[in-house]
Amino acid sequence: RVQMVESGGGLVQAGGSLRLSCTASGLTFADYAMAWFRQAPGKEREGVSCIVWSGSSTYYADSVKGRFTISRDNTANTLYLQMNSLKPEDTAMYYCAASPFFRPRWSDVSGYNYWGQGTQVTVSS
């Protein structure tokens, strides 16, 4: 059974940093493109960042470019999201997701087979 568990969320002041982790089991992690999504109350789930299986290519939403960095450790089956210069508008539940294929429309939620349960990030002003 595939499990993906996020951690690292919390409450932080604007301008601060957090590092999210997502540890996967039950799948060959290195075969999957991985992504981070987020969903704020009353809003649709949106793609934050994506990384291909090898880690050689990464993609970001315009709203987080230059502030967030996605990375992965295939030996540890773990995905990361380093979030710097956090803003109140980054407040959301953050989810990791896995897809056996990389798609150019990486932010389309329907392209992912597996999802974690989410970790809450709250940024105070």
Side-chain angles (χ1 to χ4, degrees):
R1 184 169 80 92
V2 174
Q3 283 191 300
M4 302 206 303
V5 180
E6 301 96 335
S7 61
L11 173 63
V12 64
Q13 288 189 328
S17 298
L18 284 174
R19 190 193 196 203
L20 305 184
S21 299
C22 169
T23 301
S25 60
L27 76 169
T28 304
F29 183 77
D31 287 348
Y32 283 75
M34 299 295 297
W36 288 99
F37 286 76
R38 66 186 182 187
Q39 188 167 20
K43 294 189 176 181
E44 292 188 352
R45 191 168 297 192
E46 63 172 354
V48 174
S49 184
C50 179
I51 186 167
V52 300
W53 67 272
S54 66
S56 60
S57 295
T58 57
Y59 305 85
Y60 297 92
D62 288 343
S63 58
V64 306
K65 278 180 184 175
R67 300 188 298 122
F68 290 10
T69 302
I70 192 171
S71 61
R72 66 191 296 163
D73 182 347
N74 288 344
T75 64
N77 288 1
T78 302
L79 175 73
Y80 302 100
L81 185 68
Q82 178 67 43
M83 306 188 295
N84 298 330
S85 302
L86 282 161
K87 304 175 181 180
E89 51 264 44
D90 295 318
T91 295
M93 186 73 79
Y94 283 71
Y95 300 89
C96 61
S99 172
F101 307 103
F102 171 76
R103 296 175 174 84
R105 292 179 60 186
W106 62 267
S107 60
D108 185 344
V109 297
S110 65
Y112 294 84
N113 299 62
Y114 304 111
W115 293 83
Q117 83 292 344
T119 186
Q120 178 68 38
V121 171
T122 303
V123 184
S124 63
S125 56

